[in-house]
Amino acid sequence: MVKHSSRIYLSQSALKQNFSFIREKIGHNPVISSVVKANAFGHGIGTFVPMAEKCGIRHFSVASSFEAWEVKEALTQPDSKVMIMGILYPDDLPWVIENEIEFFVFDFAQLERVKKVAQEVGKPAIIHLELETGGNRTGLPSAHLDKAIRFMSKNRDHFQFEGVCTHFAGIESLANQFRIQRQLQKFEEMYRKIKKSGYLPKLRHTACSAAALAFPETVMDLVRVGTAQFGLWPSPDIYNMHLQQTGKTKDSPIKRVMTWKTDVMHIKEVKKDQFVGYGTSFQAPRDMKVAVIPIGYSNGYPRTLSNRGYVLIHGKKAPVTGLINMNVFMVDVSQIPDVEIGDDVVLIGKQNNNTITIKSFTEVTNAINNELVSRLPAAIPRRAVR
Ligand SMILES: *Cc1c(COP(=O)(O)O)cnc(C)c1O
């Protein structure tokens, strides 16, 4: 096998712990749908999905029919289900219905088209009606609800009414609570209307990670958990609410699943006053030794970490010197003895007693955790470890 310039390890034990913690928070009954859009938030669908199945997960959510196909390829359990929450092109509908993939419907015209294709395929479409509750992203407006329910009920041979759902507009931030409460009220009001019709869905669901961890009133029959399963807190607010609820001052009930590593490519002695790499952004303040790292912004390492990031070598922090290039960057290893070509370099993760957290990246770059991980290129090999 030809070697890639870096590798990502996924911890099975961390993942198991994270799902146990989520289960503890939501109780015994709700289905956990593992949200694996964006290549499982950069963790790699192909490696991650079987790991989640090992933890007992049998429901996966994605953002497109292409991602649904990726998950289908990765599944190892015959009873695992896939749900598309986002873009579903009409051309893909026959494949989706044929393969019993569940999907969100959020406008009336879509329902009519789905009915026609379901009829042609000869199988019912398994749908989740996404309701507009105030997020103003996707969602069926309440003015169209009666019409939609009547249409589905009249054509019930062609629909499996699997769920009604909504998505909160920023529940991870306490500043948005007034809006979230109104969304929840609106959802309940619309659900009462559906109930009155007598044509009922199997499941109701509204909760994402933040909702599932901190707002029990949002946990219904299924939760759609992305961020938290990877061991990432959705926000400081949600972490602080957990501490408050448990009366602790510090806790780490979820663990980062991902470790990202590469190795030292080259070592260079640099004389005082020399510049390192492109341009003049780093001038050696003294004689120093730098290690060249075979990773750059094209590999998902943010360019904004130029002169600001750290990596771990021999368990010690080595600061980035100069600009992050497309395929390489340099770090200062003057204070780390005996660094050699081929030594392990930790970009994200733990080495001895030091850790590079995903949060440490985002504090510098203003990106959110999810942005950093979801942009890690699919070409980096992922491997499950204990
Ligand atoms: C991404 C997404 C989720 C998961 O959100 P997390 O905050 O990462 O848990 C849930 N529902 C929908 C509709 C989403 O798009």
Side-chain angles (χ1 to χ4, degrees):
M1 244 316 247
V2 178
K3 214 171 160 179
H4 199 272
S5 67
S6 72
R7 51 214 172 262
I8 289 171
Y9 299 96
L10 306 182
S11 162
Q12 183 74 56
S13 55
L15 185 61
K16 184 162 173 246
Q17 181 177 334
N18 298 346
F19 281 128
S20 306
F21 176 68
I22 293 161
R23 176 57 73 198
E24 216 177 282
K25 286 278 183 186
I26 64 172
H28 187 66
N29 287 324
V31 174
I32 297 177
S33 182
S34 164
V35 178
V36 291
K37 61 190 180 193
N39 200 24
F41 292 50
H43 290 64
I45 280 179
T47 309
F48 183 83
V49 163
M51 291 175 71
E53 286 181 310
K54 270 194 192 156
C55 299
I57 299 298
R58 292 293 182 271
H59 199 280
F60 294 91
S61 295
V62 292
S64 68
S65 31
F66 179 78
E67 291 176 347
W69 176 81
E70 290 183 302
V71 173
K72 273 273 182 199
E73 292 290 297
L75 290 176
T76 63
Q77 300 300 318
D79 53 339
S80 286
K81 296 173 175 173
V82 183
M83 175 169 83
I84 301 171
M85 308 183 294
I87 178 77
L88 169 44
Y89 291 98
D91 284 353
D92 296 332
L93 254 183
W95 177 79
V96 164
I97 293 174
E98 180 60 48
N99 284 280
E100 297 169 25
I101 292 167
E102 307 172 14
F103 56 96
F104 282 18
V105 170
F106 39 80
D107 81 43
F108 187 75
Q110 221 179 342
L111 270 184
E112 294 183 310
R113 196 161 53 228
V114 167
K115 183 222 146 191
K116 249 184 81 200
V117 177
Q119 204 162 15
E120 282 160 21
V121 171
K123 272 187 182 177
I126 309 173
I127 70 160
H128 295 253
L129 212 50
E130 189 194 8
L131 307 179
E132 177 55 64
T133 57
N136 288 311
R137 196 168 80 165
T138 47
L140 185 81
S142 59
H144 299 172
L145 183 59
D146 282 342
K147 191 167 71 162
I149 294 292
R150 237 179 297 127
F151 182 81
M152 286 168 60
S153 160
K154 208 172 76 193
N155 295 289
R156 62 181 73 196
D157 289 352
H158 304 304
F159 292 106
Q160 180 176 322
F161 194 7
E162 190 70 12
V164 285
C165 56
T166 194
H167 187 48
F168 295 117
I171 195 168
E172 62 281 351
S173 166
L174 287 179
N176 296 332
Q177 287 314 303
F178 74 100
R179 202 176 158 197
I180 301 305
Q181 285 310 317
R182 276 202 296 218
Q183 281 191 276
L184 196 54
Q185 280 165 17
K186 184 75 185 167
F187 182 79
E188 275 156 6
E189 179 192 314
M190 288 174 84
Y191 183 69
R192 276 196 297 276
K193 258 187 169 177
I194 298 173
K195 222 167 149 186
K196 251 200 188 143
S197 80
Y199 183 61
L200 288 178
K202 208 164 98 189
L203 309 166
R204 288 169 305 153
H205 51 103
T206 66
C208 58
S209 293
L213 296 187
F215 300 94
E217 69 275 24
T218 66
V219 175
M220 300 175 188
D221 306 309
L222 178 147
V223 295
R224 305 180 305 261
V225 177
T227 312
Q229 68 188 326
F230 304 112
L232 306 172
W233 287 96
S235 68
D237 281 352
I238 300 301
Y239 175 64
N240 288 325
M241 284 179 75
H242 167 72
L243 293 185
Q244 208 167 38
Q245 283 164 5
T246 52
K248 292 177 177 166
T249 52
K250 214 175 117 190
D251 197 17
S252 48
I254 54 175
K255 297 269 185 278
R256 187 176 24 74
V257 168
M258 172 187 290
T259 297
W260 186 20
K261 280 187 185 178
T262 180
D263 20 54
V264 174
M265 170 184 175
H266 188 57
I267 292 165
K268 178 94 41 193
E269 307 284 346
V270 178
K271 287 275 173 232
K272 182 173 186 293
D273 294 335
Q274 291 281 302
F275 295 105
V276 174
Y278 285 134
T280 54
S281 81
F282 186 87
Q283 187 173 24
R286 48 186 155 70
D287 287 357
M288 56 191 290
K289 187 155 76 167
V290 300
V292 182
I293 311 299
I295 285 293
Y297 56 80
S298 72
N299 306 103
Y301 199 87
R303 191 170 179 275
T304 40
L305 290 181
S306 297
N307 282 316
R308 297 161 96 180
Y310 291 89
V311 303
L312 297 178
I313 299 173
H314 296 186
K316 298 206 168 67
K317 278 175 138 185
V320 172
T321 54
L323 301 178
I324 306 293
N325 303 165
M326 190 182 283
N327 316 95
V328 290
F329 64 91
M330 274 65 85
V331 296
D332 179 6
V333 292
S334 309
Q335 310 303 321
I336 308 175
D338 307 324
V339 175
E340 288 178 28
I341 291 172
D343 284 352
D344 254 13
V345 176
V346 172
L347 302 163
I348 293 174
K350 191 168 184 249
Q351 198 180 41
N352 303 354
N353 294 322
N354 266 316
T355 305
I356 307 286
T357 62
I358 292 168
K359 196 157 145 275
S360 73
F361 279 59
T362 53
E363 276 160 359
V364 177
T365 63
N366 275 329
I368 58 173
N369 292 344
N370 287 344
E371 182 177 349
L372 176 92
V373 288
S374 69
R375 282 182 175 175
L376 292 171
I380 302 173
R382 272 79 169 169
R383 196 187 318 150
V385 294
R386 201 170 52 80

